[in-house]
Amino acid sequence: MLRIAVPNKGTLSETAVDMLREAGYAVRRDPKELIVSDPRNDVEFFYLRPRDIATYVGSGALDVGVTGRDLLLDSHSTAVEIEAFDFGASTFRFAGPVGAFTKLGDLAGTRVATSYSALVGDFLEAEGVAATVVHLDGAVESAVRLGVADAVADVVETGSTLRKQGLEIFGPVILESTAVLIAAREDVEGLATFRRRLQGVMVARRFVLMDYDLPAELIEQASKITPGFESPTVSPLRDTGWVAVRVMVPRDDTNEIMDTLYALGARAILVSSIHAARI
């Protein structure tokens, strides 16, 4: 069986489990379940702390896992990133007291508090900045006010939490992270099928099927509006002056595309959800 690590809690867990369910895999029903076997698909899922997943996969104890890119890099695991997903996005930045720092080099000789000490330490070393990294578990926003550090490095969304602590963002982005599929190695048996299934879920979430009827002489113009992955499927209608078109379009752009097609002359424009895909 392909042994797969899944986050056991948090936003990464919720979305990952939803993806697995949509991909046709068995998922746990009880949050206390640690192992779920799926013999039908020849896989076994292990629900683990997100921070530990890269270590388990890198050691070879498990074959594949879903975790954050930040956690992968911070672990110094030998696991390799196979695929990036479109959830769990986060941005890592430096922050310090207002007016205290303006550029990365200002951190030389200071103390930087973070929950991702290896990730931040590697970044500072690569940039040639000699600073002391102070490891803290959990929130680090209070580290400067409490005298534990001179600056912090943490996940930043709007920056409002940092501002409440009298801090401001400065310097370059440390890392743009997202959820990723990792593996002990790229040639793990069964990985290709598992990856294709998850890719199919992502396609089904991002795209919809659009069908419409169109005067045949407008097909070239319509194809520029809805090019599809390769090209639209065009079928003749009983009325020889018209054709039926089927194409995949980005879900977020659906209504704008429908309006544009209608203005062009398309009619009977219908949209259908995609439940599974292999592209």
Side-chain angles (χ1 to χ4, degrees):
M1 282 188 168
L2 185 69
R3 299 164 299 171
I4 304 168
V6 184
N8 66 350
K9 59 182 179 180
T11 55
L12 282 181
S13 176
E14 295 170 5
T15 309
V17 170
D18 286 343
M19 285 188 69
L20 293 174
R21 184 184 295 109
E22 291 174 35
Y25 292 106
V27 298
R28 67 178 182 179
R29 298 180 179 179
D30 185 343
K32 295 181 180 179
E33 283 186 277
L34 299 179
I35 302 175
V36 174
S37 182
D38 185 354
R40 178 182 177 183
N41 292 298
D42 202 28
V43 298
E44 194 169 22
F45 297 102
F46 295 79
Y47 288 81
L48 304 169
R49 290 178 65 244
R51 185 169 283 277
D52 295 335
I53 287 176
T55 299
Y56 278 105
V57 174
S59 70
L62 299 177
D63 303 310
V64 179
V66 177
T67 189
R69 181 179 291 139
D70 53 342
L71 297 173
L72 170 63
L73 296 177
D74 194 58
S75 71
H76 280 179
S77 167
T78 57
V80 294
E81 179 178 326
I82 301 297
E83 181 92 22
F85 299 128
D86 58 357
F87 68 93
S90 59
T91 303
F92 284 77
R93 299 293 300 271
F94 291 105
V98 176
F101 303 95
T102 58
K103 60 184 185 300
L104 183 63
D106 294 339
L107 287 174
T110 66
R111 300 163 299 165
V112 181
T114 183
S115 298
Y116 296 80
S117 51
L119 172 64
V120 173
D122 291 345
F123 181 85
L124 290 171
E125 183 178 356
E127 295 294 326
V129 177
T132 300
V133 177
V134 179
H135 180 81
L136 295 176
D137 287 320
V140 301
E141 295 88 353
S142 300
V144 175
R145 178 171 292 182
L146 295 176
V148 175
D150 304 299
V152 301
D154 201 10
V155 174
V156 175
E157 293 182 1
T158 63
S160 60
T161 302
L162 294 171
R163 286 193 292 271
K164 289 178 181 178
Q165 295 296 326
L167 305 176
E168 66 177 358
I169 298 168
F170 69 92
V173 172
I174 302 169
L175 176 70
E176 294 283 2
S177 184
T178 189
V180 294
L181 176 67
I182 63 173
R185 60 184 193 281
E186 295 187 14
D187 61 346
V188 172
E189 185 176 355
L191 171 59
T193 298
F194 182 68
R195 183 182 183 184
R196 277 196 301 271
R197 284 203 182 190
L198 296 185
Q199 288 174 333
V201 171
M202 290 191 289
V203 169
R205 288 181 173 185
R206 294 173 183 167
F207 294 88
V208 293
L209 274 178
M210 183 172 289
D211 293 275
Y212 58 90
D213 296 343
L214 186 79
E217 68 270 14
L218 298 177
I219 189 61
E220 290 301 323
Q221 293 172 258
S223 295
K224 294 178 181 178
I225 300 169
T226 58
F229 269 91
E230 294 178 354
S231 65
T233 298
V234 181
S235 305
L237 294 177
R238 183 176 181 180
D239 184 338
T240 56
W242 285 71
V243 294
V245 180
R246 165 165 283 195
V247 66
M248 290 173 62
V249 301
R251 182 181 295 272
D252 292 343
D253 300 335
T254 299
N255 284 291
E256 291 83 355
I257 292 174
M258 292 176 75
D259 292 339
T260 304
L261 287 173
Y262 192 89
L264 177 66
R267 296 295 183 265
I269 307 171
L270 306 175
V271 175
S272 306
S273 294
I274 299 171
H275 297 289
R278 299 291 185 275
I279 302 299

